[in-house]
Amino acid sequence: MGADEDQAALLALRASAARYRLILESSTEFAIIAADGDRRITEWNAGAEKIFQWREEEVLGRRADLIFTEEDQANGAPAREASTADAEGRAVDDRWHLRKDGARFWGSGMMFPLRDGARGYLKILYDRTEHRNAEERQKLLLGELQHRVRNILAVVRSLARRTIEMSPNLQEFEQSFDGRLATLARTQNVLTRSGDVALELGELIRDELAAVGASVGDRVTVQGPDVKLRRRAAEVVALAAHELATNALKHGALAVPDGRLDVRWRLVPGADGPLLSMEWRERGVSFPEGAPARKGFGRELIEQGLPYELGAATSLEFDVEGLRATIRFPLCQGDEGEQDA
Ligand SMILES: Nc1ncnc2c1ncn2[C@@H]1O[C@H](COP(=O)(O)OP(=O)(O)O)[C@@H](O)[C@H]1O
Ligand SMILES: [Mg+2]
């Protein structure tokens, strides 16, 4: 070969080396790392600089183990990965890695043995932290959803059982059960629509009154400070409000032309935080003889269900003016509006 041909071959070789260099350096989202048989770094592209924060000159010649977490370095993961690559032609690298500043990220990639005579390794990897976090969030959400579905089914089941036991016939069962399910559905809807974890008490009471056709006006007043109820409390209190409202309509103040209903609540200090203290006062149906004998689902829920579910203290009094129901229970942390913000 003449000198000209030598020169041309050299130029071609340089051009192709430059091209490969360019390809490596353009892959800024992928770390491309080569190491010798001793796992010492020989190539470190721009993507590796970006992802790991180490500059090429800082790491050339150093053990590639430095991108592994301390635990993985201690438990021999780098050497295991290399021997898997040797044995199987590749090794999956899907784990937490370390940046120069010590921050962790989820790197996902693969390691291959380099078989060009000199033993060595090639690793290609990218930062998958965001993906992984999204997957984790999704898993959490799915778990939460399954949990809620199980809960709501349990609630529906016990509602059905008690409503069957308390209903004299199928027609009454259908009517009561339908009303109770509709209340549950309303609570779920509001919670889902707002994407909120809590439900405002005033809104809840007004919704339940509206559902039985009693809107706030001259005969019906609803008053109290903003209070947010957590999911479980909201569910139970909504059911109680539904029973009180249907009773008022069926037997009480809303069944007579001049009856009236006043719902009031306030927060009072308790030993472990604020208590919600609520009064449902009806006027217009007199009980000179005291409480009627019958106890159905409504009285059971308020006298036994609320104490059991919410640790509430409740009372139902039937006096000369009408029914007076009181409900008092501790708002756990976060039940109160201000604490949620
Ligand atoms: N707001 C009310 N006004 C007058 N009487 C009521 C009121 N709420 C309940 N009662 C009386 O208490 C009884 C039991 O109520 P409840 O447990 O809800 O069962 P039900 O409504 O199926 O009769 C009623 O039958 C009624 O006699
Ligand atoms: Mg009733």
Side-chain angles (χ1 to χ4, degrees):
M1 264 197 289
D4 282 356
E5 284 166 343
D6 278 358
Q7 186 68 11
L10 194 64
L11 283 177
L13 200 63
R14 280 209 189 126
S16 88
R19 259 184 77 75
Y20 283 120
R21 191 85 214 153
L22 186 66
I23 289 170
L24 274 188
E25 292 313 313
S26 301
S27 313
T28 55
E29 298 307 314
F30 286 88
I32 300 175
I33 306 168
D36 63 17
D38 207 22
R39 301 201 305 279
R40 292 192 186 280
I41 297 165
T42 57
E43 314 280 335
W44 185 265
N45 80 334
E49 288 195 343
K50 185 173 164 193
I51 292 174
F52 289 103
Q53 297 167 343
W54 293 99
R55 310 219 15 100
E56 182 181 20
E57 59 270 22
E58 292 176 301
V59 292
L60 286 182
R62 292 182 63 181
R63 269 260 164 88
D65 304 13
L66 60 84
I67 65 173
F68 285 76
T69 61
E70 294 89 344
E71 307 92 273
D72 280 342
Q73 291 182 36
N75 72 28
R80 254 197 324 279
E81 190 182 84
S83 58
T84 304
D86 284 333
E88 296 172 15
R90 55 185 215 162
V92 173
D93 183 21
D94 218 14
R95 62 175 94 234
W96 292 107
H97 288 74
L98 276 190
R99 296 192 214 278
K100 183 184 179 182
D101 66 4
R104 290 180 176 215
F105 71 96
W106 188 270
S108 189
M110 233 173 237
M111 189 194 223
F112 306 94
L114 285 177
R115 301 193 203 277
D116 62 347
R119 208 162 72 94
Y121 302 97
L122 173 69
K123 174 173 280 192
I124 300 174
L125 171 149
Y126 72 108
D127 182 344
R128 224 177 143 258
T129 311
E130 269 176 37
H131 267 97
R132 185 172 156 91
N133 288 346
E135 280 165 12
E136 292 290 304
R137 254 195 317 278
Q138 209 158 32
K139 254 189 244 165
L140 268 176
L141 282 178
L142 196 65
E144 171 71 14
L145 185 66
Q146 282 166 339
H147 177 74
R148 282 190 198 167
V149 168
R150 258 200 308 277
N151 276 351
I152 200 80
L153 280 179
V155 171
V156 169
R157 197 169 170 206
S158 83
L159 258 187
R161 194 180 319 120
R162 291 309 283 152
T163 308
I164 288 170
E165 282 163 9
M166 302 262 182
S167 301
N169 56 52
L170 196 57
Q171 198 189 350
E172 281 197 29
F173 167 81
E174 193 198 345
Q175 221 173 33
S176 322
F177 191 59
D178 197 55
R180 286 163 196 158
L181 273 191
T183 294
L184 270 188
R186 263 192 298 283
T187 317
Q188 297 304 313
N189 274 346
V190 176
L191 287 170
T192 314
R193 172 163 34 97
S194 59
D196 216 349
V197 290
L199 206 149
E200 214 273 307
L201 178 63
E203 183 185 352
L204 179 159
I205 303 275
R206 278 183 278 269
D207 280 355
E208 290 312 316
L209 284 168
V212 300
S215 46
V216 173
D218 292 345
R219 293 178 58 196
V220 179
T221 67
V222 174
Q223 252 172 45
D226 269 11
V227 174
K228 294 221 164 182
L229 298 179
R230 294 248 154 226
R231 175 172 293 274
R232 187 73 196 116
E235 261 167 31
V236 183
V237 171
L239 276 176
H242 171 74
E243 295 307 314
L244 287 167
T246 49
N247 279 354
L249 195 71
K250 204 158 58 160
H251 323 285
L254 302 178
V256 294
D258 54 351
R260 58 171 299 130
L261 164 66
D262 300 290
V263 188
R264 298 276 175 282
W265 65 89
R266 64 205 163 91
L267 295 176
V268 297
D272 305 309
L275 303 173
L276 173 68
S277 178
M278 186 173 148
E279 184 194 53
W280 176 287
R281 185 58 165 122
E282 295 181 25
R283 291 187 178 82
V285 176
S286 187
F287 293 89
E289 326 266 87
R294 177 175 155 79
K295 283 196 183 192
F297 182 92
R299 281 175 81 177
E300 183 187 81
L301 179 71
I302 290 167
E303 291 177 337
Q304 281 139 51
L306 293 186
Y308 177 76
E309 296 284 347
L310 302 177
T314 61
S315 72
L316 282 180
E317 294 158 31
F318 297 83
D319 59 26
V320 286
E321 287 198 276
L323 169 96
R324 177 173 177 265
T326 64
I327 298 172
R328 175 182 283 220
F329 64 91
L331 290 170
C332 319
Q333 246 220 323
D335 278 355
E336 202 186 341
E338 287 74 35
Q339 293 170 345
D340 249 1

